[in-house]
Amino acid sequence: PILYYGLATTYAAKGEVKKAMKNYDKLGKAGKKYAAFAEYHKARMLDDAGKTAKAKKLYNDILDNNKKSPYKSDIMRRLALL
């Protein structure tokens, strides 16, 4: 699973958002413990890529689906800045 994260971050850094998304999706499907991590990093990548509306939606989906998300405080801070 960590290979998918490495590929996703590499593609994101190169600006290849679609390829990065595919690898974050693969990471999320690798197991429940990876799902929240993958969704959070996917939202951050979208945010960094200037895809603000998609990032906001994903950030809000994460908060709606997991009230105790370990990423809650960071997501709330990021939403306040968008």
Side-chain angles (χ1 to χ4, degrees):
I2 201 68
L3 173 66
Y4 296 129
Y5 177 67
L7 287 169
T9 57
T10 300
Y11 285 129
K14 292 172 62 178
E16 297 182 41
V17 175
K18 287 183 182 181
K19 288 181 180 179
M21 293 282 282
K22 286 180 184 180
N23 282 282
Y24 280 127
D25 289 341
K26 288 177 183 178
L27 175 61
K29 291 176 185 173
K32 187 174 181 171
K33 68 181 181 179
Y34 298 109
F37 178 83
E39 289 298 296
Y40 169 71
H41 284 282
K42 188 178 357 176
R44 285 190 58 186
M45 187 243 347
L46 289 167
D47 188 0
D48 292 342
K51 299 184 180 297
T52 308
K54 289 181 180 181
K56 278 184 182 181
K57 182 180 181 333
L58 191 51
Y59 283 141
N60 283 310
D61 288 349
I62 292 167
L63 294 177
D64 290 343
N65 294 327
N66 186 357
K67 301 291 183 195
K68 295 182 180 181
S69 172
Y71 308 107
K72 182 178 180 176
S73 62
D74 189 54
I75 290 171
M76 293 184 72
R77 181 184 60 80
R78 288 175 176 276
L79 283 170
L81 295 172
L82 292 178

